[in-house]
Amino acid sequence: MSLRPLLPALLSTLLLAPAPAYAAAGGPDDGIETARTTRQLAPGIRLESYDRLEADRWLRIDELVADLDPRTGVRAEYLGTGGGPVTLPEAAARYRPGPGRRVIAAVNGDFFDIRATGAPLGPGVGSGRLLHSASPGPGGGAAVGFGPDGAGRLLRLGLDGTVTLPGGRVHPLAGYNAAKPPAEGFAVYTADWGGKRLPALGPGPAVELRDGRVVSAGPAPVARPAPGTTLLTARGTGPAAALAALRPGDEVAVAARPLPASGPAPVTALGGRGTLVAAGSPLNHDGEGNNTAAPRTAVGLSRDGRRLSLVTVDGRQRDSGGLTLTALGALMRRLGAYEALNLDGGGSATLLAAHPGAGALTLENSPSDGQPRPVPNGLVLTAPAGPGPLAGFDVEPAGGATRLFPGLTRTLTATPYDATLAPAAAAPRWSTDRGRIGQDGVYRADRPGPAVVRVAAGPGAPGKRPAGASGGAAVPGGEHAAAAMGPGAGDGTGQGPAGASGGAAPGVAGGPLAGPPVRAAAGAGGGPEGVLRLEVLGPLAGLRAGPGRIGLERRGESAGFVLTGYDAQGATAPVEPRDLTLDYDRSRWRVTEDGRGGFTVTALVPQASGRLTATVKTTGATAGLALGVGSVAAPLAGFEDAAAWTGPGAAPAEGHPGPGLALEARADAAAAPPRPLPVPELTRALSLWVGGDGSGARPAVELAGADGVPLTLRGPAVDWTGWREVRLPVPATAEQPLRVTRLSAAPGARPGRLLLDTLTATTPPTGPAAPGTARPDPVVGTAAQAAARPWRFAVGGAPAGGGAELVLTGTERAPFLHRGVRFVPLDTGRRTLDRGAGLARMRALGQALEAAAREPGTAALAVVLPYAPDTLDRKETALLALRLAEFRRTTGKKAAVLTVGAPRFTAGRQEGVLTVAAPRTGRTLFGADAFAAPGRDWLSVAPPQP
């Protein structure tokens, strides 16, 4: 769910923790948990998803918790791919767990030979059978294993194998389907081989065996052995000679089984690398090469092996910075692991989970590549499946949004499930306490306020059983979205899947502030039903498109967008396609509904720009969206000023042609531009001319994304001489806007010196985003209107006087209470992730909200922020807004955010929280009435006069 770009979407992403949102949290050395959702997946399996603000990063964590007690029937099983890496959703969809069982969840598994065979590097055991042994090198056979009773443990898993040649000569087997063959001895490859092609087996012969006899001998093939065929290879003088002596018809016996360092052999085992927790103690990996902050996957076990935790931590994203191995070990121990093992992370980190009644799995985390990466194996959790009698309905709104506007619609779906949360069969019958809902599940709102929608089993033939009940392909979305809850599992939030590719997610404005919808309950007639609570907002006041621009690179490429409405209080909700009309050039673009409350736009031509206008049918509100397809080259640097580029190992040189830049290929070499180099928005790739010397050095362009998040685009190894243009794609997960911070060159096989010239950005020709047309907020008034309030204060200008009882300057340091208003200054001197600055601000805010909530004399709270652009990052800004909105909702008290010293005056509101930016020049006058009647604004603001 890269985090969605609009603030209302952030509000729906930063879901509320079970405790009041305004409570202070965390100890002096802890971060703050900003969101948590729990979803029961099956009896004995649940998913915990939560966000945290740490001193130096944001984190998004997903934890699958499984009870491996035999009474639950939950099992962890080896997930293979059938030959070579495929995405985890593909592998899970193909997996067949056996009669009476279904796949509940899956995570990626072992490290693999990513640049060659694609085969896993560690050991693997499935259904008690050895699938592959560990390759020589890091890892040393480390694995997580599960016994016949389901209990797990960490272990070292070796190979116990033999090759018996004619005459009874027995030789040890050194490798079994290993990604990297042993340097000495016999190795075997079978149809269980997990790579896309066999490794380089050397110049010696290879022998094919079938039914224990040699059928052919010759050079080693590259294709996997056919089923029933075993390929026997050898390295080293003795083994190779013995193999060369074999003839067709000779009897050769091969035996192989897993050999644990201690204890019984596992029924299931998966390799990993790097023990995180041993005997209840987290291990310190400081100083090791892999101990950098990165996306992570880990497996943890309780002391008795019955509680399994499968954890993914998102990384390399603004919304989640990843963890080091040391920090990952500390996290696993906090989660209760007595022992834990690191699995493959980086772009491989992927987690899938089921929804009640669904036959498909949902992508829950946010892979750093922007989509699941092909992986060689994983772990699946399976559990007993129905079909049992109907136990309830999982009710989901389109896009996960539980809010809507009067006169507009929300499409609801009801998925029946049995007592195990497996798919069940039933036809839904809909009803509601207000508004209207058809038996097609389309709800139409009438007036503002809460609404309850119910679904029960209808008369007649049962509904069609969902396809793929025992597995099913994963679908995108679910990224930290509270989802369907099983009976008695607690509450959810009604938030839905994130993320249409290339644009804002459809579920941008669900209802973290609307209260938790109940997912399943007994109906009035005693039968099972599903219940969903909706919130009908105030009348629609305006509409905006998210994103405001869509740039496509080629004909046939697609991206998504959503139309979000807002009411007079700044409360937001997506507007569904059926409530809109779209005006665009149909000869250039195809726009279709995406099935999640949003749209998908596809380019029909290779080069074009244009605009789409959306109009709400009932109100006439409109929003514009800029469209573009193709590419336009935007020069960033021609190096005419190469002498001004600074850094070790950088110097002016001859370019291609004209002036260029020379850069030594060494670890500390870099060249920084003399001035910031902004990268155009929606840039799809950067290109750079590179003069090569054949050294194998790798050029790189280093960027800073929004909020300063670093991003490095690495070029290929320069194995050529002369000039060549290198294209560096910008990943879809890159956080705009971007700027070039420096160029660098990693050393190759030998010392090198690269020449660089002409850095260019490739962007689609979209044109500017549509300008906003919002009307002035009603809080903006005249000096006379401000004076009519019980008391007044000012921002900027002269000291108190002239009707103002106090003046805010932005230099205030401590909270204070004045005539029912608690003013809370927050220090904006440092950026969110600068040595815990954001953490300190959020703790200070939590303490102030807690105090204001319990003080009878406090009727309103105003946060005072000195203007400091880009100091509060997007997530902290959203968290601030969410905390204040929740404070307002739960206490009935009022809230505002006042920015002091802004470049210009602005005023508006988010979720009923007033936001006013007072300019650095002039005197902004506020009239205040903290005890104003409910539903009336408590501030009136007179902006400075020109």
Side-chain angles (χ1 to χ4, degrees):
M1 144 234 193
S2 58
L3 206 61
R4 309 161 203 167
L6 297 175
L7 181 58
L10 286 165
L11 293 173
S12 67
T13 299
L14 295 168
L15 305 177
L16 301 180
Y22 49 84
D29 300 317
D30 297 331
I32 293 176
E33 186 175 293
T34 62
R36 178 178 287 267
T37 63
T38 299
R39 184 165 95 231
Q40 197 72 29
L41 308 183
I45 308 176
R46 74 178 187 274
L47 174 65
E48 301 277 354
S49 299
Y50 45 98
D51 294 1
R52 289 182 63 84
L53 170 59
E54 305 286 343
D56 60 347
R57 73 196 64 209
W58 294 91
L59 288 176
R60 287 191 311 219
I61 302 168
D62 291 282
E63 180 193 11
L64 281 167
V65 183
D67 181 359
L68 301 179
D69 190 297
R71 290 172 294 183
T72 68
V74 176
R75 294 201 298 251
E77 302 175 12
Y78 182 95
L79 175 63
T81 63
V86 301
T87 66
L88 192 68
E90 292 175 290
R94 297 174 186 173
Y95 188 76
R96 297 296 173 260
R101 300 190 66 79
R102 66 188 184 106
V103 173
I104 306 298
V107 295
N108 69 289
D110 199 1
F111 293 78
F112 60 104
D113 187 18
I114 192 170
R115 290 185 175 83
T117 65
L121 293 170
V125 177
S127 302
R129 186 164 57 87
L130 179 67
L131 301 174
H132 49 87
S133 63
S135 295
V144 57
F146 302 89
D149 64 348
R153 75 185 200 270
L154 298 193
L155 69 163
R156 295 280 170 178
L157 200 59
L159 169 63
D160 180 15
T162 59
V163 176
T164 304
L165 299 179
R169 292 168 295 167
V170 179
H171 299 265
L173 187 62
Y176 188 86
N177 284 328
K180 297 181 179 180
E184 180 83 19
F186 289 94
V188 161
Y189 293 89
T190 73
D192 288 329
W193 164 245
K196 55 191 175 184
R197 59 177 178 272
L198 290 174
L201 298 173
V207 169
E208 288 190 0
L209 309 175
R210 183 178 290 274
D211 298 326
R213 292 185 179 275
V214 176
V215 295
S216 66
V222 295
R224 78 174 48 253
T229 298
T230 298
L231 182 69
L232 179 62
T233 69
R235 285 187 173 185
T237 303
L243 196 64
L246 295 176
R247 296 292 179 265
D250 285 348
E251 291 188 9
V252 177
V254 175
R257 66 184 182 90
L259 179 64
S262 62
V267 172
T268 296
L270 180 80
R273 183 186 302 172
T275 301
L276 302 170
V277 181
S281 297
L283 302 186
N284 190 336
H285 292 267
D286 292 352
E288 299 178 13
N290 192 31
N291 196 40
T292 57
R296 298 290 182 183
T297 303
V299 53
L301 291 158
S302 60
R303 188 166 191 165
D304 63 0
R306 294 295 183 189
R307 184 182 186 274
L308 170 68
S309 293
L310 299 174
V311 174
T312 57
V313 181
D314 291 340
R316 297 175 186 161
Q317 301 169 52
R318 173 166 56 176
D319 299 328
S320 189
L323 288 177
T324 64
L325 288 178
T326 299
L328 182 62
L331 170 67
M332 296 303 292
R333 184 66 192 102
R334 287 199 303 271
L335 296 177
Y338 183 74
E339 52 185 7
L341 179 67
N342 180 50
L343 301 179
D344 191 14
S348 299
T350 312
L351 183 144
L352 311 174
H355 283 251
L361 303 184
T362 297
L363 177 63
E364 297 292 339
N365 75 316
S366 179
S368 62
D369 291 351
Q371 58 189 359
R373 174 187 291 181
V375 295
N377 59 12
L379 276 178
V380 291
L381 298 181
T382 70
L390 177 70
F393 289 87
D394 175 41
V395 187
E396 290 288 341
T402 57
R403 291 170 153 190
L404 71 163
F405 298 96
L408 302 189
T409 62
R410 185 66 69 235
T411 302
L412 309 179
T413 58
T415 305
Y417 55 82
D418 66 14
T420 69
L421 305 187
R429 185 182 71 249
W430 297 91
S431 62
T432 184
D433 65 340
R434 65 190 303 177
R436 303 193 311 273
I437 188 165
Q439 292 312 305
D440 58 356
V442 176
Y443 174 82
R444 183 172 294 277
D446 54 3
R447 63 188 187 278
V452 177
V453 175
R454 300 180 183 274
V455 59
K464 184 177 179 181
R465 182 179 176 82
S470 63
V475 295
E479 175 187 322
H480 280 232
M485 311 295 291
D491 61 85
T493 64
Q495 298 312 293
S501 171
V508 296
L513 310 177
V518 179
R519 293 299 184 181
E529 67 173 20
V531 181
L532 181 69
R533 293 192 180 106
L534 299 173
E535 181 187 11
V536 182
L537 303 175
L540 183 72
L543 187 71
R544 54 176 167 258
R549 301 168 65 202
I550 286 182
L552 306 173
E553 196 169 17
R554 62 186 66 87
R555 178 170 53 192
E557 187 177 342
S558 300
F561 67 95
V562 66
L563 279 306
T564 300
Y566 53 92
D567 67 10
Q569 289 297 320
T572 60
V575 177
E576 286 199 17
R578 65 165 40 85
D579 296 322
L580 296 160
T581 59
L582 304 182
D583 181 23
Y584 59 95
D585 187 341
R586 285 166 169 76
S587 69
R588 296 181 171 188
W589 320 98
R590 181 174 65 249
V591 180
T592 56
E593 299 179 20
D594 65 8
R596 301 186 299 276
F599 296 91
T600 300
V601 58
T602 304
L604 301 179
V605 294
Q607 188 89 14
S609 61
R611 183 171 296 276
L612 177 149
T613 301
T615 304
V616 179
K617 296 175 183 177
T618 57
T619 69
T622 64
L625 175 67
L627 302 174
V629 59
S631 61
V632 174
L636 300 183
F639 298 101
E640 292 81 1
D641 57 353
W645 286 65
T646 57
E654 184 64 27
H656 178 70
L661 182 72
L663 192 59
E664 300 292 336
R666 64 178 200 243
D668 65 337
R675 68 192 67 83
L677 290 182
V679 177
E681 188 181 358
L682 303 183
T683 290
R684 304 298 294 268
L686 300 182
S687 61
L688 182 68
W689 280 92
V690 178
D693 58 0
S695 66
R698 295 185 65 187
V701 178
E702 299 180 25
L703 308 166
D707 304 326
V709 175
L711 172 66
T712 300
L713 307 183
R714 302 188 188 280
V718 179
D719 55 4
W720 67 86
T721 58
W723 287 94
R724 183 180 298 182
E725 189 174 28
V726 172
R727 187 176 189 272
L728 308 172
V730 175
T733 54
E735 298 285 358
Q736 304 283 348
L738 300 169
R739 67 180 188 278
V740 177
T741 56
R742 63 180 199 167
L743 306 179
S744 60
R750 59 181 176 80
R753 179 174 182 267
L754 300 182
L755 303 179
L756 308 176
D757 198 1
T758 314
L759 179 63
T760 304
T762 301
T763 67
T766 63
T773 57
R775 291 174 293 179
D777 191 273
V779 74
V780 179
T782 64
Q785 289 171 318
R789 298 281 183 161
W791 69 281
R792 286 155 299 289
F793 66 95
V795 175
E805 297 181 14
L806 63 91
V807 174
L808 299 176
T809 64
T811 60
E812 296 80 10
R813 290 293 174 262
F816 62 94
L817 181 65
H818 186 84
R819 298 190 65 169
V821 182
R822 174 167 285 276
F823 290 90
V824 182
L826 292 182
D827 180 9
T828 59
R830 291 185 291 131
R831 297 170 70 95
T832 297
L833 302 181
D834 179 9
R835 295 167 292 163
L839 198 58
R841 281 191 290 266
M842 287 300 103
R843 286 195 176 128
L845 176 66
Q847 292 166 0
L849 292 173
E850 192 174 53
R854 65 172 182 260
E855 291 173 343
T858 297
L861 182 141
V863 173
V864 181
L865 299 173
Y867 177 74
D870 303 324
T871 297
L872 275 66
D873 70 19
R874 184 179 60 166
K875 290 193 72 171
E876 186 184 356
T877 299
L879 184 58
L880 170 65
L882 179 60
R883 294 295 199 236
L884 291 175
E886 180 64 4
F887 167 80
R888 179 176 176 271
R889 185 182 72 85
T890 57
T891 67
K893 299 184 179 185
K894 304 168 181 67
V897 177
L898 310 178
T899 301
V900 181
R904 62 185 181 279
F905 176 85
T906 61
R909 61 191 75 205
Q910 293 276 356
E911 303 293 338
V913 177
L914 297 173
T915 60
V916 181
R920 62 176 65 98
T921 57
R923 178 182 175 95
T924 305
L925 185 66
F926 291 76
D929 182 4
F931 300 95
R936 297 190 61 186
D937 285 338
W938 65 283
L939 288 178
S940 182
V941 186
Q945 296 302 309

